[in-house]
Amino acid sequence: MKTIYKQIEKEKNKLIKIAKTKGLYENFGQKEVQKLEDKFIDCSDYSKEMNKNRRLIQIFDEWCMDYC
């Protein structure tokens, strides 16, 4: 479970650096969200742990949409 937290923090830091140097753009962070979903989400698994991963990625997705 620690790896998803670390990976989300890594992606956040990367996106913050990009936003500072190149600015914001349409669909900011969507590529990173998709990468996290591909790595951590199994579409056929609805266990408690997998639902928690889905929620964490959803929160990260909302952070990307609200970042300014």
Side-chain angles (χ1 to χ4, degrees):
M1 191 57 102
K2 288 184 179 180
T3 58
I4 190 168
Y5 291 114
K6 287 181 182 180
Q7 193 67 34
I8 288 173
E9 283 303 312
K10 181 180 174 185
E11 295 298 332
K12 274 186 183 181
N13 292 333
K14 184 175 87 173
L15 286 170
I16 290 169
K17 286 180 185 177
I18 290 171
K20 286 181 180 178
T21 58
K22 297 181 182 179
L24 298 174
Y25 51 87
E26 190 173 347
N27 298 326
F28 180 74
Q30 291 308 299
K31 183 171 54 173
E32 290 77 6
V33 169
Q34 186 63 46
K35 188 170 87 172
L36 289 170
E37 286 176 345
D38 291 344
K39 185 174 183 178
F40 292 105
I41 301 298
D42 178 6
C43 64
S44 64
D45 183 4
Y46 286 91
S47 66
K48 190 174 184 179
E49 181 179 339
M50 193 60 61
N51 286 336
K52 186 174 184 179
N53 288 352
R54 283 185 179 89
R55 181 68 183 137
L56 290 170
I57 293 173
Q58 181 183 11
I59 290 169
F60 174 65
D61 187 27
E62 290 171 4
W63 176 86
C64 292
M65 289 187 277
D66 294 338
Y67 185 77
C68 51

